[in-house]
Amino acid sequence: MTETSAPVVAVIVVAAGSGARLGHSEPKAFVHLQGRTLLEHALHGIFGMAEPAQVIVVVPEDRIGAANAIVRASSASPAARGSVTVVAGGSTRQQSVSRGLAVLGSQIEIVLVHDAARALTPSDLCDRVVTAVRATGDGVIPGLAVVDTIKRVDASAVILGTVDRAELSAVQTPQGFVRAILVAAHDTSVHEATDDAALVAATGHPVRVIEGSPLAFKITTPVDLERAESVLNPAPGNVVLPRIGTGLDVHAFSDSAELWLAGLHWPGERGLSGHSDGDVAVHAVCDALLGAAGLGDIGGIFGTSDARFAGAHGDVFLTETLRLVTEAGFAVSNVSLQIIGNRPRFAPRRAEAEALLGRLIHAPVNIAATTTDTLGFTGRGEGIAATATALLVPAARPAAQHPVLSLDV
Ligand code: CTP
Ligand code: MG
């Protein structure tokens, strides 16, 4: 299959539950784990699948807007974003899956149903489910051997017997099926089930278990969330390396332009020449962020031939830069910016500029301003310069996916 052909695999991510047992005010899929929602973590695993898939995200009705924003921020590419649909769920998991099935693309042949609550599920587990469905035509679900001894008990917790655990499998998601089989199972189901395998098995169709993943555990209670935190945290003695970048920009004053500096409009001040609004401070920050992420520089991303950026202001550049940096797997830790020039007097609007830029890049920004004591081009009042330094940290995900420095401690 090529990147451009329509996917034949779909993944329905059910995220419409309230998470009563987790006990947060947010629905469970929108609870944060190391700076990202559980839904973002789950999508990260799905977007990493070897084969492109149609992704259907099922969320509470009042979260459709929030989910669309998450999808925009997490999709690996515009192509991937194009194949993501967000729909409202129902009052049970099964109803939520049915709502997802209703929007399957006509070309879809294999459907995986996945709980957003299994937020750290690795991409390769999804791949293995697809491969096994394709090879067997059966329903395929991941499962792990049960390690505890399991007892049957009566209503007063008195032991009735021991269950032979060799016969047990603790099953997970994603659960994969040939489309027509899953759709028929949902259409004919007479009672609610907590997973899709139960519905398909009830139609007499075989469902088999493949080896699951310890990382695909379901986040149900606060203790599970703590477990997920500790999975994402690097082990003591291992430090996930941050990344640093620097940026520099200079523009000459121009009598025909208005001044835009650090994202702010400065009425009455001489403007700066440039293809965009000439905001040297924002351009230096973009270069620092792009450099830290290894994404080149502002000229390479926002070409002067691109009409979208002619006259554009800082918010356009910073929003797109943040999107690229996030897509590359980083979060911004902080930015330090220095503006060099005789005018404007920056101090009175420093806090305003720091707040604006901080909002745009989701991180603290400190802005210093200086003159060069009449020396050089800035001292002669020919223009303004800016330098910036940015620190990025890998966005929360299993540490093994990032370069790690092992410290002997
Ligand atoms: N789910 C859903 N629609 C529902 C109920 C559950 O999409 N009406 C989803 C959940 O969002 C979750 C998955 O099904 O990703 C597994 O359900 P569970 O872990 O039980 O989540 P919740 O129902 O949200 O949690 P709780 O039962 O504690 O309220
Ligand atoms: Mg539930």
Side-chain angles (χ1 to χ4, degrees):
M1 126 134 6
T2 66
E3 283 284 333
T4 48
S5 55
V8 294
V9 172
V11 185
I12 298 174
V13 185
V14 283
S18 63
R21 287 169 288 177
L22 193 59
H24 281 235
S25 52
E26 297 278 292
K28 184 159 71 182
F30 297 84
V31 168
H32 280 78
L33 167 64
Q34 297 226 331
R36 299 203 291 177
T37 59
L38 294 188
L39 178 58
E40 282 168 278
H41 285 284
L43 289 173
H44 181 77
I46 289 163
F47 290 140
M49 286 171 67
E51 184 172 328
Q54 180 192 7
V55 179
I56 298 164
V57 184
V58 189
V59 297
E61 183 138 34
D62 63 353
R63 299 287 162 153
I64 288 183
N68 273 312
I70 286 171
V71 164
R72 275 197 299 279
S74 357
S75 306
S77 65
R81 278 201 297 286
S83 64
V84 184
T85 313
V86 178
V87 295
S91 57
T92 63
R93 182 186 183 282
Q94 192 170 319
Q95 280 178 19
S96 294
V97 175
S98 291
R99 302 270 176 95
L101 290 172
V103 296
L104 285 175
S106 57
Q107 78 290 350
I108 297 298
E109 294 163 6
I110 292 174
V111 180
L112 269 53
V113 182
H114 186 43
D115 293 340
R118 297 180 189 276
L120 302 186
T121 302
S123 310
D124 91 288
L125 182 61
C126 307
D127 293 335
R128 288 194 288 115
V129 171
V130 172
T131 303
V133 173
R134 217 169 243 143
T136 64
D138 293 347
V140 174
I141 67 176
L144 292 177
V146 173
V147 291
D148 294 315
T149 297
I150 307 286
K151 304 288 187 193
R152 278 189 300 107
V153 294
D154 68 14
S156 46
V158 173
I159 291 171
L160 299 174
T162 302
V163 181
D164 177 7
R165 71 179 176 207
E167 284 190 350
L168 300 179
S169 179
V171 305
Q172 307 175 322
T173 70
Q175 301 191 343
F177 308 91
V178 169
R179 174 196 186 144
I181 293 167
L182 180 62
V183 170
H186 270 262
D187 287 349
T188 56
S189 80
V190 283
H191 40 234
E192 289 285 331
T194 54
D195 76 349
D196 300 276
L199 296 182
V200 169
T203 67
H205 201 86
V207 180
R208 64 178 67 232
V209 175
I210 63 167
E211 182 68 17
S213 165
L215 289 174
F217 66 93
K218 186 154 76 78
I219 298 172
T220 307
T221 64
V223 172
D224 299 323
L225 200 58
E226 279 171 27
R227 179 179 171 196
E229 293 274 358
S230 63
V231 169
L232 293 173
N233 266 326
N238 284 341
V239 178
V240 178
L241 294 176
R243 305 260 304 220
I244 196 164
T246 63
L248 166 71
D249 197 28
V250 176
H251 281 293
F253 282 122
S254 152
D255 286 327
S256 58
E258 304 205 337
L259 182 65
W260 286 83
L261 188 64
L264 299 178
H265 183 214
W266 298 75
E269 295 284 347
R270 279 180 89 191
L272 295 168
S273 62
H275 173 68
S276 65
D277 65 359
D279 188 335
V280 286
V282 163
H283 298 176
V285 172
C286 288
D287 263 351
L289 292 168
L290 293 169
L295 294 172
D297 64 17
I298 190 168
I301 305 268
F302 305 96
T304 48
S305 56
D306 193 330
R308 279 180 306 158
F309 305 115
H313 296 305
D315 55 341
V316 174
F317 288 92
L318 285 173
T319 303
E320 177 63 4
T321 299
L322 181 68
R323 192 186 70 73
L324 293 168
V325 162
T326 307
E327 204 172 272
F330 298 100
V332 185
S333 172
N334 74 302
V335 165
S336 177
L337 169 64
Q338 175 118 40
I339 295 170
I340 306 151
N342 295 344
R343 290 199 61 83
R345 240 174 59 67
F346 199 77
R349 300 189 71 189
R350 173 185 149 155
E352 189 188 348
E354 287 178 343
L356 173 67
L357 300 190
R359 270 200 308 280
L360 289 167
I361 64 166
H362 302 181
V365 176
N366 186 88
I367 309 180
T370 186
T371 66
T372 49
D373 214 7
T374 73
L375 298 175
F377 67 88
T378 52
R380 292 189 297 273
E382 293 168 11
I384 302 180
T387 68
T389 306
L391 192 71
L392 302 184
V393 288
R397 68 175 69 167
Q401 295 179 24
H402 287 293
V404 156
L405 171 68
S406 286
L407 296 180
D408 231 355
V409 288

